[in-house]
Amino acid sequence: MGDLMLNIEQRQLVHDYLVLDLAVQSLQTDYSKMEQSEQMKMKTIYLPIIDNLLKSVRNEYLNAKRLLAKDKIRVVKWVKIDEHFSDVIVATAGEDITIRYANRAIKTHVENLLLSLTSN
């Protein structure tokens, strides 16, 4: 686990990027499920809200991705270890590193991000 290849700012940026990435994926999934749902009575109300949230999160996501690319850092893939943990493989200018995440913690970070954006 040689995460010395990333400084504190880069590590924080990777974390922010991962949270944004998961937020985008979650919103896209929810949007398409809601769009196809016959049961959702108020989907004409909810879909634009999700769409606006998605646009906002996607912009932040692309900015984070650009900043990482500038430092020659990119997230290669998520590897699910078990129901509690996932490893994230990150390519750096030096070598690939692995960062372990607690699934519940990262999900909470995604929820907190989305809640903070909706309360503005």
Side-chain angles (χ1 to χ4, degrees):
M1 292 247 192
D3 44 354
L4 297 173
M5 300 301 296
L6 292 181
N7 66 33
I8 302 285
E9 291 84 17
Q10 290 169 328
R11 195 176 171 104
Q12 182 61 50
L13 187 57
V14 167
H15 173 76
D16 294 347
Y17 170 81
L18 293 171
V19 170
L20 290 162
D21 183 35
L22 289 175
V24 167
Q25 289 177 42
S26 300
L27 289 169
Q28 285 173 332
T29 300
D30 288 357
Y31 186 93
S32 62
K33 281 181 184 169
M34 193 177 292
E35 202 176 30
Q36 295 162 10
S37 169
E38 296 301 319
Q39 285 79 44
M40 291 290 303
K41 302 281 185 259
M42 302 293 282
K43 71 179 176 184
T44 57
I45 306 296
Y46 296 127
L47 286 174
I49 294 170
I50 294 176
D51 192 45
N52 285 334
L53 201 50
L54 193 51
K55 283 182 183 135
S56 165
V57 172
R58 194 178 288 127
N59 285 338
E60 287 187 50
Y61 163 81
L62 292 171
N63 285 337
K65 188 173 186 170
R66 237 187 321 274
L67 288 171
L68 287 172
K70 218 169 66 182
D71 285 350
K72 296 181 175 52
I73 298 167
R74 69 183 168 81
V75 173
V76 178
K77 65 177 174 176
W78 282 89
V79 180
K80 187 175 177 176
I81 302 302
D82 57 31
E83 62 180 297
H84 302 290
F85 293 98
S86 295
D87 280 352
V88 177
I89 313 298
V90 179
T92 70
E95 58 181 284
D96 288 5
I97 61 168
T98 302
I99 303 171
R100 179 148 299 168
Y101 277 95
N103 295 335
R104 185 173 295 145
I106 195 90
K107 181 177 186 284
T108 302
H109 286 233
V110 170
E111 289 168 354
N112 290 342
L113 167 75
L114 295 176
L115 286 169
S116 74
L117 291 170
T118 55
S119 64
N120 288 341

